Coordinates of all heavy atoms in Angstrom, one line a residue:
M1 N 0.8 -1.2 0.0 CA 0.0 0.1 0.0 C 1.0 1.2 0.0 O 1.8 1.4 0.8 CB -0.8 0.0 1.2 CG -1.9 1.0 1.3 SD -3.0 0.9 2.8 CE -4.3 -0.1 2.2
N2 N 0.7 2.2 -0.9 CA 1.4 3.4 -0.9 C 0.8 4.5 -0.1 O -0.3 4.4 0.5 CB 1.7 3.9 -2.3 CG 0.4 4.4 -3.0 OD1 -0.5 5.0 -2.4 ND2 0.3 4.1 -4.2
L3 N 1.6 5.5 0.1 CA 1.2 6.6 0.9 C -0.2 7.1 0.6 O -1.1 7.4 1.5 CB 2.3 7.7 1.0 CG 1.9 8.9 1.9 CD1 1.8 8.5 3.3 CD2 2.9 9.9 1.8
L4 N -0.4 7.4 -0.7 CA -1.7 8.0 -1.2 C -2.9 7.0 -0.8 O -4.0 7.3 -0.4 CB -1.6 8.2 -2.6 CG -0.8 9.4 -3.1 CD1 -0.8 9.5 -4.6 CD2 -1.1 10.7 -2.4
E5 N -2.7 5.8 -0.9 CA -3.7 4.8 -0.5 C -3.9 4.7 1.0 O -5.1 4.7 1.4 CB -3.3 3.4 -1.0 CG -3.3 3.1 -2.5 CD -2.7 1.9 -2.9 OE1 -1.7 1.3 -2.3 OE2 -3.1 1.3 -4.0
I6 N -2.8 5.0 1.7 CA -3.1 4.9 3.3 C -3.9 6.3 3.6 O -4.7 6.1 4.4 CB -1.7 5.0 3.9 CG1 -0.9 3.6 3.7 CG2 -1.8 5.2 5.3 CD1 0.4 3.5 4.2
I7 N -3.5 7.3 3.0 CA -4.2 8.5 3.3 C -5.6 8.5 2.9 O -6.6 8.8 3.7 CB -3.5 9.7 2.6 CG1 -2.1 10.1 3.2 CG2 -4.5 11.0 2.6 CD1 -1.3 11.0 2.4
A8 N -5.9 7.8 1.8 CA -7.3 7.6 1.4 C -8.1 6.7 2.3 O -9.2 7.0 2.9 CB -7.5 6.9 0.1
E9 N -7.5 5.9 2.9 CA -8.0 5.0 3.9 C -8.2 5.7 5.3 O -9.3 5.4 6.0 CB -7.3 3.6 4.3 CG -7.3 2.7 3.1 CD -8.7 2.1 2.8 OE1 -9.5 1.8 3.8 OE2 -9.0 2.0 1.7
V10 N -7.3 6.5 5.6 CA -7.5 7.4 6.8 C -8.7 8.2 6.8 O -9.5 8.4 7.8 CB -6.2 8.2 7.0 CG1 -6.5 9.4 8.2 CG2 -5.0 7.5 7.3
Q11 N -9.1 8.7 5.6 CA -10.3 9.4 5.4 C -11.6 8.6 5.8 O -12.6 9.2 6.2 CB -10.5 9.9 4.0 CG -9.2 10.6 3.4 CD -9.2 11.9 4.3 OE1 -10.0 12.7 4.7 NE2 -7.8 12.3 4.4
N12 N -11.6 7.4 5.8 CA -12.6 6.4 6.2 C -12.8 6.1 7.6 O -13.8 5.7 8.1 CB -12.6 5.1 5.5 CG -12.6 5.3 4.0 OD1 -13.5 6.2 3.6 ND2 -12.0 4.5 3.3
L13 N -11.8 6.6 8.5 CA -11.7 6.5 9.9 C -12.7 7.5 10.6 O -13.0 8.5 10.0 CB -10.3 6.7 10.6 CG -9.2 5.6 10.0 CD1 -8.0 6.0 10.6 CD2 -9.7 4.2 10.4
T14 N -13.3 7.2 11.8 CA -13.9 8.1 12.6 C -13.1 9.1 13.1 O -11.8 9.0 13.2 CB -14.8 7.4 13.7 OG1 -13.7 6.9 14.6 CG2 -15.6 6.3 13.2
E15 N -13.5 10.2 13.6 CA -12.7 11.3 14.1 C -11.9 10.8 15.4 O -10.8 11.1 15.4 CB -13.5 12.5 14.4 CG -14.1 13.3 13.3 CD -13.2 13.7 12.3 OE1 -12.1 14.3 12.7 OE2 -13.4 13.5 11.1
D16 N -12.6 10.0 16.0 CA -11.9 9.4 17.3 C -10.8 8.5 16.8 O -9.7 8.5 17.5 CB -12.9 8.6 18.1 CG -12.3 8.1 19.4 OD1 -11.7 8.9 20.1 OD2 -12.4 7.0 19.8
E17 N -10.9 7.6 15.8 CA -9.9 6.8 15.4 C -8.8 7.5 14.8 O -7.7 7.1 14.9 CB -10.5 5.8 14.2 CG -11.4 4.7 14.8 CD -12.3 4.0 13.8 OE1 -12.5 4.6 12.7 OE2 -12.5 2.9 14.0
K18 N -9.1 8.7 14.1 CA -7.9 9.5 13.5 C -7.1 10.0 14.6 O -6.0 10.1 14.5 CB -8.5 10.7 12.6 CG -9.1 10.1 11.3 CD -9.7 11.3 10.5 CE -10.5 10.9 9.4 NZ -11.2 11.9 8.5
R19 N -7.8 10.5 15.7 CA -7.1 11.1 16.8 C -6.1 10.0 17.5 O -5.0 10.3 17.8 CB -8.0 11.6 17.9 CG -8.4 13.2 17.4 CD -9.1 13.8 18.7 NE -10.6 13.1 18.7 CZ -11.5 13.5 18.1 NH1 -11.6 14.3 17.1 NH2 -12.7 12.9 18.3
Q20 N -6.8 8.8 17.6 CA -6.0 7.7 18.2 C -4.8 7.4 17.3 O -3.7 7.1 17.8 CB -6.9 6.5 18.4 CG -7.9 6.5 19.4 CD -8.7 5.3 19.5 OE1 -8.3 4.2 19.2 NE2 -10.1 5.5 19.8
L21 N -4.9 7.3 16.0 CA -3.8 7.0 15.0 C -2.8 8.2 15.1 O -1.6 7.8 15.2 CB -4.4 7.0 13.6 CG -3.4 6.7 12.5 CD1 -2.6 5.5 12.7 CD2 -4.1 6.8 11.2
L22 N -3.2 9.4 15.1 CA -2.2 10.5 15.2 C -1.5 10.3 16.5 O -0.2 10.6 16.6 CB -3.0 11.8 15.1 CG -2.1 13.1 15.2 CD1 -1.1 13.0 14.0 CD2 -3.0 14.3 15.1
D23 N -2.1 10.1 17.6 CA -1.5 10.0 18.9 C -0.4 8.8 18.9 O 0.7 8.9 19.3 CB -2.4 9.8 20.0 CG -3.2 11.1 20.4 OD1 -2.8 12.2 19.9 OD2 -4.3 10.9 21.1
L24 N -0.9 7.7 18.3 CA 0.0 6.5 18.2 C 1.3 6.8 17.4 O 2.3 6.6 17.8 CB -0.8 5.5 17.6 CG 0.1 4.1 17.3 CD1 0.6 3.4 18.6 CD2 -0.8 3.1 16.5
L25 N 1.0 7.5 16.1 CA 2.2 7.9 15.4 C 3.1 8.7 16.1 O 4.3 8.6 16.0 CB 1.6 8.4 14.0 CG 1.0 7.4 13.1 CD1 0.4 8.2 11.9 CD2 1.9 6.3 12.6
E26 N 2.6 9.8 16.7 CA 3.5 10.8 17.3 C 4.3 10.2 18.5 O 5.4 10.4 18.7 CB 2.7 11.9 17.8 CG 2.1 12.9 16.8 CD 1.2 14.0 17.3 OE1 0.7 13.9 18.4 OE2 1.1 14.9 16.6
R27 N 3.7 9.2 19.2 CA 4.4 8.5 20.4 C 5.4 7.6 19.7 O 6.6 7.7 20.1 CB 3.4 7.6 21.2 CG 2.8 8.3 22.3 CD 2.1 7.2 23.2 NE 1.4 6.2 22.6 CZ 0.2 6.2 22.3 NH1 -0.6 7.3 22.5 NH2 -0.6 5.2 21.7
Q28 N 5.2 6.8 18.7 CA 6.1 5.9 18.1 C 7.2 6.6 17.4 O 8.4 6.3 17.5 CB 5.4 5.0 17.2 CG 4.6 3.9 17.8 CD 4.0 3.0 16.8 OE1 4.2 3.0 15.6 NE2 3.5 1.8 17.4
L29 N 6.9 7.8 16.8 CA 8.0 8.5 16.0 C 8.8 9.3 17.1 O 10.1 9.4 16.9 CB 7.3 9.5 15.2 CG 6.6 8.9 13.8 CD1 5.8 9.9 13.1 CD2 7.6 8.1 13.0
S30 N 8.3 9.6 18.2 CA 9.1 10.3 19.2 C 10.0 9.4 19.9 O 11.1 9.8 20.4 CB 8.3 11.2 20.2 OG 7.6 10.3 21.0
E31 N 9.7 8.1 20.0 CA 10.4 7.1 20.6 C 11.4 6.4 19.7 O 12.2 5.6 20.2 CB 9.5 6.1 21.3 CG 8.6 6.6 22.3 CD 7.6 5.6 22.9 OE1 7.5 4.6 22.3 OE2 6.8 6.0 23.8
S32 N 11.3 6.7 18.5 CA 12.0 5.9 17.3 C 13.4 6.1 17.3 O 13.9 7.2 17.6 CB 11.4 6.3 16.0 OG 12.0 5.5 15.0
T33 N 14.1 5.0 17.2 CA 15.6 5.1 17.0 C 16.0 4.4 15.9 O 17.0 3.6 15.7 CB 16.4 4.4 18.2 OG1 15.9 3.1 18.5 CG2 16.1 5.2 19.6
N34 N 15.2 4.4 14.7 CA 15.3 3.7 13.5 C 16.6 3.9 12.8 O 16.9 3.1 11.9 CB 14.1 3.9 12.7 CG 12.8 3.3 13.0 OD1 13.0 2.3 13.8 ND2 11.8 3.7 12.8
E35 N 17.3 5.1 13.1 CA 18.4 5.3 12.4 C 19.5 4.2 12.3 O 20.3 4.0 11.4 CB 19.2 6.6 12.9 CG 18.3 7.9 12.9 CD 17.3 8.1 14.0 OE1 17.4 7.4 15.0 OE2 16.2 8.6 13.8
E36 N 19.5 3.3 13.3 CA 20.5 2.3 13.4 C 19.9 0.9 13.0 O 20.5 0.0 13.0 CB 20.9 2.1 14.8 CG 21.6 3.5 15.3 CD 22.1 3.4 16.7 OE1 22.1 2.3 17.3 OE2 22.4 4.6 17.3
N37 N 18.6 0.9 12.7 CA 17.8 -0.2 12.3 C 18.2 -0.6 10.8 O 17.9 0.1 10.0 CB 16.4 0.0 12.4 CG 15.6 -1.3 12.1 OD1 15.8 -2.0 11.2 ND2 14.5 -1.4 12.9
P38 N 18.8 -1.9 10.6 CA 19.2 -2.2 9.3 C 17.9 -2.2 8.2 O 18.1 -1.8 7.0 CB 19.7 -3.7 9.3 CG 20.0 -3.8 10.9 CD 19.1 -2.8 11.6
E39 N 16.8 -2.6 8.7 CA 15.7 -2.6 7.8 C 15.2 -1.3 7.3 O 14.9 -1.0 6.3 CB 14.5 -3.2 8.6 CG 14.6 -4.8 8.7 CD 13.4 -5.4 9.5 OE1 12.6 -4.7 9.9 OE2 13.6 -6.6 9.9
F40 N 15.3 -0.2 8.4 CA 15.0 1.1 8.1 C 16.1 1.7 7.1 O 15.6 2.4 6.1 CB 15.1 1.9 9.4 CG 15.0 3.4 9.1 CD1 13.7 4.0 8.9 CD2 16.0 4.2 9.2 CE1 13.6 5.4 8.6 CE2 15.9 5.6 8.9 CZ 14.8 6.1 8.6
L41 N 17.4 1.4 7.3 CA 18.4 1.9 6.4 C 18.2 1.2 5.0 O 18.4 2.0 4.0 CB 19.7 1.5 7.0 CG 20.2 2.2 8.2 CD1 21.5 1.6 8.7 CD2 20.2 3.7 8.1
A42 N 17.8 0.0 4.9 CA 17.6 -0.5 3.5 C 16.3 0.1 2.8 O 16.4 0.3 1.6 CB 17.3 -2.0 3.7
M43 N 15.3 0.4 3.7 CA 14.2 1.0 3.0 C 14.5 2.5 2.7 O 14.0 2.9 1.5 CB 12.9 1.0 4.1 CG 11.7 1.5 3.7 SD 11.4 3.3 4.1 CE 12.0 3.5 5.7
L44 N 15.2 3.1 3.4 CA 15.6 4.6 3.1 C 16.5 4.5 1.9 O 16.3 5.2 1.0 CB 16.4 5.0 4.3 CG 16.9 6.4 4.1 CD1 15.7 7.4 3.9 CD2 17.7 6.9 5.4
E45 N 17.4 3.5 1.7 CA 18.2 3.5 0.6 C 17.5 3.2 -0.7 O 17.6 3.9 -1.8 CB 19.4 2.5 0.7 CG 20.4 2.3 -0.4 CD 21.4 1.3 -0.1 OE1 21.8 1.0 1.0 OE2 21.8 0.7 -1.1
S46 N 16.5 2.4 -0.5 CA 15.6 2.0 -1.8 C 14.8 3.3 -2.2 O 14.6 3.4 -3.4 CB 14.7 0.8 -1.5 OG 13.8 1.2 -0.7
R47 N 14.3 4.0 -1.2 CA 13.5 5.2 -1.5 C 14.4 6.2 -2.1 O 13.9 7.1 -3.0 CB 12.8 5.8 -0.2 CG 11.8 4.6 0.2 CD 10.5 5.2 0.7 NE 9.7 4.1 1.0 CZ 8.6 4.2 2.0 NH1 8.6 5.4 2.6 NH2 7.9 3.3 2.2
V48 N 15.6 6.4 -1.7 CA 16.7 7.4 -2.2 C 16.8 7.0 -3.7 O 16.8 8.0 -4.5 CB 17.8 7.5 -1.4 CG1 18.9 8.3 -2.0 CG2 17.5 8.1 0.0
R49 N 17.1 5.7 -4.0 CA 17.3 5.2 -5.3 C 16.1 5.6 -6.2 O 16.2 6.0 -7.3 CB 17.6 3.8 -5.4 CG 19.0 3.4 -5.2 CD 19.4 2.0 -5.6 NE 18.4 1.0 -5.0 CZ 18.5 0.5 -3.9 NH1 19.7 0.5 -3.1 NH2 17.8 -0.5 -3.4
A50 N 14.8 5.4 -5.7 CA 13.7 5.6 -6.4 C 13.5 7.1 -6.8 O 13.1 7.5 -7.8 CB 12.4 5.1 -5.7
A51 N 13.8 7.9 -5.8 CA 13.7 9.3 -5.9 C 14.7 9.8 -7.0 O 14.5 10.7 -7.9 CB 13.9 10.0 -4.6
D52 N 15.9 9.2 -6.8 CA 17.0 9.6 -7.9 C 16.7 9.3 -9.3 O 17.1 9.9 -10.3 CB 18.3 9.0 -7.5 CG 19.0 9.5 -6.2 OD1 18.6 10.6 -5.9 OD2 19.9 8.9 -5.7
N53 N 15.8 8.2 -9.5 CA 15.4 7.7 -10.8 C 14.0 8.3 -11.2 O 13.4 7.8 -12.1 CB 15.2 6.2 -10.7 CG 16.5 5.6 -10.6 OD1 17.6 5.9 -11.1 ND2 16.7 4.3 -9.9
G54 N 13.7 9.4 -10.6 CA 12.5 10.1 -10.9 C 11.2 9.7 -10.2 O 10.2 10.2 -10.6
G55 N 11.3 8.8 -9.3 CA 10.1 8.3 -8.6 C 9.7 9.4 -7.7 O 10.3 10.3 -7.3
R56 N 8.4 9.2 -7.3 CA 7.7 10.3 -6.3 C 8.2 9.9 -4.9 O 8.2 8.7 -4.7 CB 6.2 10.2 -6.5 CG 5.5 11.2 -5.9 CD 4.1 11.3 -6.3 NE 3.5 12.5 -6.0 CZ 2.2 12.8 -6.1 NH1 1.5 12.1 -6.7 NH2 1.8 13.9 -5.6
A57 N 8.5 10.9 -4.3 CA 9.0 10.7 -2.8 C 8.2 11.5 -1.9 O 7.7 12.6 -2.2 CB 10.5 11.1 -2.8
Y58 N 8.0 10.9 -0.7 CA 7.2 11.6 0.3 C 8.1 11.6 1.6 O 8.9 10.6 1.8 CB 6.0 10.8 0.7 CG 5.0 10.7 -0.5 CD1 5.1 9.7 -1.4 CD2 4.1 11.8 -0.8 CE1 4.1 9.5 -2.5 CE2 3.2 11.6 -1.9 CZ 3.2 10.6 -2.7 OH 2.4 10.6 -3.8
T59 N 8.0 12.6 2.3 CA 8.8 12.7 3.6 C 7.9 12.5 4.8 O 6.5 12.4 4.6 CB 9.4 14.2 3.8 OG1 8.3 15.1 3.8 CG2 10.3 14.5 2.5
L60 N 8.4 12.3 5.9 CA 7.7 12.0 7.1 C 6.8 13.3 7.3 O 5.8 13.3 7.8 CB 8.6 11.9 8.2 CG 7.9 11.6 9.6 CD1 6.9 10.4 9.6 CD2 9.0 11.3 10.7
A61 N 7.4 14.4 7.0 CA 6.6 15.6 7.2 C 5.3 15.8 6.3 O 4.4 16.2 6.8 CB 7.5 16.9 6.9
H62 N 5.5 15.2 5.1 CA 4.3 15.1 4.2 C 3.3 14.3 4.8 O 2.0 14.6 4.8 CB 4.7 14.6 2.9 CG 5.5 15.5 2.0 ND1 6.7 15.1 1.4 CD2 5.3 16.7 1.5 CE1 7.1 16.0 0.6 NE2 6.2 17.0 0.6
A63 N 3.7 13.1 5.3 CA 2.7 12.2 6.0 C 2.0 12.7 7.2 O 0.9 12.6 7.3 CB 3.5 10.8 6.3
R64 N 2.8 13.5 8.0 CA 2.3 14.1 9.1 C 1.4 15.2 8.8 O 0.1 15.3 9.5 CB 3.4 14.7 10.1 CG 4.1 13.7 10.9 CD 5.2 14.5 11.6 NE 5.8 13.5 12.6 CZ 7.0 13.7 13.1 NH1 7.7 14.8 13.1 NH2 7.5 12.8 14.0
E65 N 1.7 16.1 7.9 CA 0.8 17.1 7.5 C -0.5 16.6 6.9 O -1.5 17.1 7.2 CB 1.5 17.9 6.5 CG 0.6 19.2 6.1 CD 0.6 20.1 7.2 OE1 1.4 20.2 8.2 OE2 -0.5 20.9 7.3
A66 N -0.4 15.5 6.1 CA -1.6 15.0 5.5 C -2.5 14.4 6.6 O -3.8 14.6 6.5 CB -1.3 13.8 4.5
L67 N -2.0 13.7 7.6 CA -2.8 13.2 8.6 C -3.4 14.3 9.5 O -4.6 14.2 9.9 CB -1.9 12.3 9.6 CG -2.6 11.5 10.6 CD1 -3.7 10.7 10.0 CD2 -1.7 10.6 11.3
K68 N -2.6 15.3 9.8 CA -3.1 16.4 10.7 C -4.3 17.1 10.0 O -5.3 17.5 10.5 CB -2.0 17.4 11.0 CG -1.1 16.9 12.1 CD 0.1 17.9 12.3 CE 0.9 17.3 13.4 NZ 2.0 18.2 13.8
K69 N -4.2 17.2 8.7 CA -5.2 18.0 7.9 C -6.6 17.1 7.9 O -7.5 17.7 7.8 CB -4.8 18.1 6.4 CG -3.8 19.3 6.2 CD -3.4 19.5 4.7 CE -2.5 20.6 4.6 NZ -2.1 20.9 3.3
S70 N -6.3 15.8 8.0 CA -7.5 15.0 8.0 C -8.2 14.8 9.3 O -9.3 14.2 9.5 CB -7.1 13.5 7.4 OG -6.5 12.9 8.3
V71 N -7.5 15.2 10.4 CA -8.1 15.1 11.7 C -8.5 16.4 12.2 O -7.9 17.4 12.2 CB -6.9 14.6 12.7 CG1 -7.4 14.5 14.0 CG2 -6.5 13.2 12.3
R72 N -9.8 16.5 12.8 CA -10.4 17.7 13.2 C -10.1 17.6 14.8 O -10.8 16.7 15.4 CB -11.8 17.9 12.9 CG -12.0 18.5 11.6 CD -13.3 18.7 11.2 NE -13.8 17.7 10.3 CZ -15.0 17.1 10.3 NH1 -15.9 17.4 11.1 NH2 -15.1 16.1 9.4
R73 N -9.4 18.5 15.3 CA -9.2 18.4 16.8 C -10.3 19.1 17.5 O -11.0 20.0 16.9 CB -7.9 19.1 17.2 CG -6.7 18.6 16.6 CD -5.8 18.0 17.6 NE -4.7 17.4 16.8 CZ -3.9 16.7 17.6 NH1 -4.1 16.4 18.8 NH2 -2.7 16.1 16.9
P74 N -10.8 18.6 18.7 CA -11.9 19.3 19.4 C -11.7 20.6 19.7 O -10.5 21.1 19.9 CB -11.8 18.5 20.7 CG -11.1 17.3 20.5 CD -10.1 17.5 19.4
G75 N -12.6 21.5 19.4 CA -12.5 23.0 19.6 C -11.8 23.8 18.6 O -11.6 24.9 18.7
R76 N -11.6 23.1 17.4 CA -11.0 23.7 16.2 C -12.1 23.9 15.0 O -12.9 23.0 14.9 CB -9.8 23.2 15.8 CG -8.7 23.2 16.8 CD -7.4 22.8 16.3 NE -6.4 23.0 17.3 CZ -5.2 22.6 17.1 NH1 -4.7 22.0 16.0 NH2 -4.2 22.7 18.2

């Protein structure tokens, strides 16, 4: 599943589920030490190669922004 497909599926979640997902992602990302994880490095290398070959690339910032835009926080 690519990022656009994931974002489309996020749109089908309830507001509460979106908030839970956002909280989970923020917790996991703040605790992450993936820089030393061989699987992470291999995935990063493959995405860099794809971007170098003209493939579409997404950053973590893009994913966070898309998720935040799809979540309505209480009182906003």
Side-chain angles (χ1 to χ4, degrees):
M1 184 176 276
N2 68 35
L3 181 62
L4 293 177
E5 291 169 328
I6 292 169
I7 291 169
E9 287 299 317
V10 167
Q11 301 301 321
N12 296 324
L13 298 175
T14 67
E15 293 304 313
D16 186 52
E17 290 169 332
K18 289 177 185 178
R19 277 189 289 281
Q20 289 176 33
L21 176 60
L22 182 58
D23 290 342
L24 173 68
L25 289 172
E26 287 176 342
R27 270 195 319 273
Q28 287 188 350
L29 293 172
S30 69
E31 297 170 359
S32 179
T33 58
N34 286 336
E35 295 82 24
E36 298 174 15
N37 181 323
E39 292 173 3
F40 174 79
L41 293 175
M43 184 260 324
L44 182 60
E45 185 176 325
S46 73
R47 296 220 176 149
V48 168
R49 272 195 312 272
D52 288 345
N53 292 325
R56 196 164 185 181
Y58 298 93
T59 65
L60 179 56
H62 287 127
R64 282 182 175 161
E65 187 61 30
L67 185 56
K68 285 180 181 179
K69 284 181 180 179
S70 73
V71 176
R72 280 183 255 143
R73 300 249 179 190
R76 288 188 184 175

